[in-house]
Amino acid sequence: MHKSRGQSRRHGRRSHRHNPWFRQHGSKERNNTRVRQSPQGSSHSDDEAPSTSSSTAGSSSVPDLPGYYFDPEKKRYFRLLPGHNNCNPLTKESIRQKEMESKRLQLLEEEDKQGKKTARLGFNASSLLQKSKLGFLNVTSYCRLAHELRVSCMQRKKVQVQSSDPSALASDRFNLILADTNSDRLFTVNDVKVGGSKYGIINLCGLKTPTLRVHMHENLYFTNRKVNAVSWASLNHLDSHILLCLMGIAETPGCATLLPASLFVSSHPGDRPGMLCSFRIPGAWSCAWSLNIQANNCFSTGLSRRVLVTSVVTGHRQSFGTSSDVLAQQFAVMAPLLFNGCRSGEIFAIDLRCRNQGKGWKATRLLHDSAVTSVQILQEEQCLMASDMAGTIKLWDLRTTKCIRQYEGHVNEYAHLPLHVHEEEGIVVAVGQDCYTRIWSLHDAQLLRTIPSPHPTSKADIPSVAFSSRLGGFQGAPGLLMAIQQDLYCFSYS
């Protein structure tokens, strides 16, 4: 008789433990029952009830039930549904999204409260000035560290964008922004509500504090094709054109288009609005414009298993076969080299003096473990920085072909994300697939700043950024521009 009663008690404990209804904290009676029948035989108050490993952080004393999720706010279990056939299924992806959103809101609140931040302990203006006076820092090091300090103190402010069509500004979404060489203009690709993309140029000369107001010059040029790559091009003068690589659609082949900036606003009287040319190419993953005198008026396109170097004046093309898709490109200025990053993880340089595909056109070879999404050559052309789809950012010495520094914290799984290197300020900027903008010190790989997105994180809403030491032209102040959805933000030095 006692034996059967004991078995019944044990059976009751097991059924309670695996039934999510008994985890509801509705009545006091059910609470007391749950506490008395706890496997550990100890009681816990409601405030101490932690979540499982699949919930938001914290504690581990609440059992992890396979197929169920414990919500620490509602203090109950919910069933995880694998599919999307129900009206409101609770999946691991939605739980992860909720946790990321909670973290983002917390970081935004902290930024708004703190105002100014300090990147490192003891890293402030007075300590830097004192070390400089004592001779511990030379002029170059002092200027670099001062820039880092100011980066950590940047504050977010919304930019007022004016246009001749205000209704379009309210509906069109920023897809991409790209600053020109002098950072006084910003080329934009905007996704329109009816589908497709349109282009504009924002004049940054009005980007002055305290009133941050800029004007967008739009054009009727419109395409329903995807823009794969963009680069400023210097054909008539510095940054006179924009090089666009468009994907093919239906029976229309892909093309590389040189779009005159004068179609938007004519800053040079000699510009003629009709100077637009297009080159038929297969779908391109990347493009770059050459400022090298040995490849004057030329641009490159990275294709599937091929690189094309095209002369705009003569139309002559050089073709270089590769073993993988070319996702990133940049021309060197002093040396006649074109650097390419591939889906296979290989980075190689093409010697532009080689007129055929014979031996010797591959000048340098580096290797990443994942697809390379961006390559940036430093000013002295002795180092190259590259990022890949595994979130790895490496600084390579081109003389020894060895990695000399790695920058931790970047998040990427499969997206084609750019990398921004600014040697004058000594910083590296990258936006991760988690929608966080991270800023590192170029010289010691220290993470200086992590900026959350002002909008809820989404794979479709990864911010596009542009950093410059002179936003708005020669007399402008350093800062970061961030475009997301219909909004443009400025993080300026205070």
Side-chain angles (χ1 to χ4, degrees):
M1 183 175 178
H2 295 290
K3 182 178 180 181
S4 64
R5 191 181 302 148
Q7 287 177 344
S8 175
R9 259 194 237 105
R10 284 194 297 272
H11 175 73
R13 281 197 295 268
R14 283 197 299 271
S15 64
H16 285 28
R17 194 163 55 243
H18 293 282
N19 190 339
W21 184 85
F22 285 94
R23 290 299 175 187
Q24 299 180 12
H25 292 238
S27 65
K28 184 176 180 181
E29 182 179 351
R30 283 202 300 272
N31 269 338
N32 295 335
T33 302
R34 183 183 66 83
V35 172
R36 285 198 304 269
Q37 294 181 349
S38 173
Q40 288 86 2
S42 61
S43 62
H44 298 276
S45 67
D46 286 351
D47 294 337
E48 293 172 341
S51 64
T52 64
S53 57
S54 61
S55 64
T56 54
S59 28
S60 58
S61 58
V62 171
D64 190 2
L65 303 184
Y68 290 92
Y69 159 73
F70 182 79
D71 191 318
E73 295 178 1
K74 297 183 178 180
K75 294 185 171 61
R76 58 170 290 186
Y77 283 90
F78 290 91
R79 186 180 178 185
L80 287 173
L81 301 179
H84 296 275
N85 297 325
N86 298 278
C87 296
N88 188 22
L90 187 63
T91 62
K92 290 184 178 179
E93 181 65 25
S94 64
I95 294 168
R96 183 171 174 269
Q97 189 73 23
K98 182 180 177 182
E99 293 174 358
M100 288 177 62
E101 179 62 11
S102 176
K103 178 184 176 184
R104 184 189 71 86
L105 292 173
Q106 184 180 354
L107 287 175
L108 281 176
E109 186 179 356
E110 289 176 359
E111 282 203 341
D112 292 338
K113 285 181 178 179
Q114 289 181 347
K116 295 186 177 182
K117 291 184 163 188
T118 301
R120 316 179 197 181
L121 188 63
F123 189 56
N124 52 59
S126 58
S127 65
L128 290 181
L129 185 60
Q130 186 177 7
K131 289 178 181 178
S132 176
K133 289 181 177 179
L134 293 173
F136 296 127
L137 290 175
N138 57 32
V139 176
T140 304
S141 298
Y142 174 76
C143 292
R144 174 175 60 83
L145 291 173
H147 275 304
E148 291 184 17
L149 177 63
R150 299 180 76 180
V151 163
S152 67
C153 298
M154 293 189 305
Q155 294 182 342
R156 182 184 74 252
K157 295 179 181 177
K158 193 171 181 178
V159 180
Q160 183 181 351
V161 182
Q162 297 176 330
S163 172
S164 56
D165 186 6
S167 61
L169 291 177
S171 59
D172 299 346
R173 298 159 61 93
F174 284 106
N175 183 17
L176 174 75
I177 60 174
L178 184 67
D180 65 359
T181 305
N182 293 327
S183 300
D184 54 8
R185 292 175 298 170
L186 201 66
F187 179 73
T188 69
V189 179
N190 295 74
D191 294 334
V192 297
K193 202 171 185 179
V194 295
S197 301
K198 70 176 185 180
Y199 315 123
I201 287 182
I202 293 178
N203 190 338
L204 298 178
C205 293
L207 199 67
K208 308 290 184 182
T209 54
T211 305
L212 298 175
R213 186 181 294 113
V214 295
H215 188 84
M216 174 180 281
H217 302 273
E218 296 171 314
N219 190 271
L220 296 178
Y221 194 87
F222 174 86
T223 180
N224 59 353
R225 294 192 280 175
K226 181 183 177 183
V227 179
N228 262 12
V230 180
S231 173
W232 282 91
S234 303
L235 186 56
N236 302 339
H237 51 78
L238 184 64
D239 299 332
S240 62
H241 288 66
I242 300 102
L243 175 64
L244 296 168
C245 287
L246 304 177
M247 285 288 288
I249 183 173
E251 296 180 356
T252 307
C255 68
T257 299
L258 275 170
L259 195 63
S262 57
L263 286 177
F264 303 90
V265 53
S266 182
S267 55
H268 292 77
D271 285 347
R272 289 176 293 172
M275 293 172 56
L276 184 148
C277 51
S278 185
F279 299 85
R280 184 173 172 175
I281 57 169
W285 295 104
S286 57
C287 66
W289 181 265
S290 172
L291 294 175
N292 192 299
I293 195 170
Q294 298 190 52
N296 194 27
N297 291 331
C298 289
F299 69 90
S300 67
T301 47
L303 314 178
S304 295
R305 301 178 180 272
R306 192 153 55 108
V307 173
L308 282 181
V309 179
T310 306
S311 171
V312 176
V313 178
T314 64
H316 177 263
R317 289 182 174 179
Q318 286 180 266
S319 179
F320 301 87
T322 67
S323 59
S324 182
D325 302 338
V326 180
L327 305 182
Q329 294 183 304
Q330 189 182 6
F331 283 93
V333 177
M334 295 184 288
L337 298 173
L338 168 62
F339 286 86
N340 305 269
C342 297
R343 192 182 297 277
S344 63
E346 180 187 18
I347 302 171
F348 64 89
I350 295 175
D351 191 333
L352 299 173
R353 294 168 295 186
C354 297
R355 298 298 177 185
N356 53 51
Q357 294 196 46
K359 294 181 179 179
W361 62 267
K362 256 188 188 180
T364 306
R365 187 175 182 271
L366 311 170
L367 196 63
H368 275 238
D369 295 330
S370 183
V372 176
T373 61
S374 184
V375 291
Q376 296 289 325
I377 307 168
L378 272 62
Q379 288 177 1
E380 296 297 325
E381 298 187 2
Q382 296 177 353
C383 295
L384 176 142
M385 186 169 287
S387 61
D388 61 32
M389 288 191 184
T392 303
I393 300 176
K394 291 183 177 181
L395 181 64
W396 294 89
D397 189 324
L398 295 175
R399 297 162 295 182
T400 62
T401 64
K402 291 183 179 180
C403 175
I404 56 177
R405 201 165 295 131
Q406 190 162 328
Y407 301 77
E408 304 292 342
H410 184 48
V411 176
N412 194 6
E413 295 176 353
Y414 56 80
H416 196 169
L417 300 175
L419 181 68
H420 310 272
V421 182
H422 303 274
E423 290 186 76
E424 188 175 350
E425 292 79 26
I427 62 170
V428 180
V429 183
V431 181
Q433 202 171 343
D434 58 353
C435 298
Y436 285 85
T437 303
R438 294 175 175 86
I439 304 176
W440 294 266
S441 166
L442 173 63
H443 301 276
D444 61 9
Q446 173 80 25
L447 182 62
L448 303 175
R449 183 83 181 267
T450 300
I451 303 174
S453 171
H455 289 266
T457 56
S458 167
K459 293 176 182 177
D461 290 322
I462 298 177
S464 179
V465 300
F467 189 95
S468 174
S469 57
R470 289 176 289 271
L471 281 178
F474 182 72
Q475 295 182 343
L480 175 81
L481 288 173
M482 176 186 294
I484 179 170
Q485 295 189 10
Q486 291 87 10
D487 298 327
L488 182 66
Y489 297 91
C490 180
F491 294 78
S492 60
Y493 283 14
S494 54

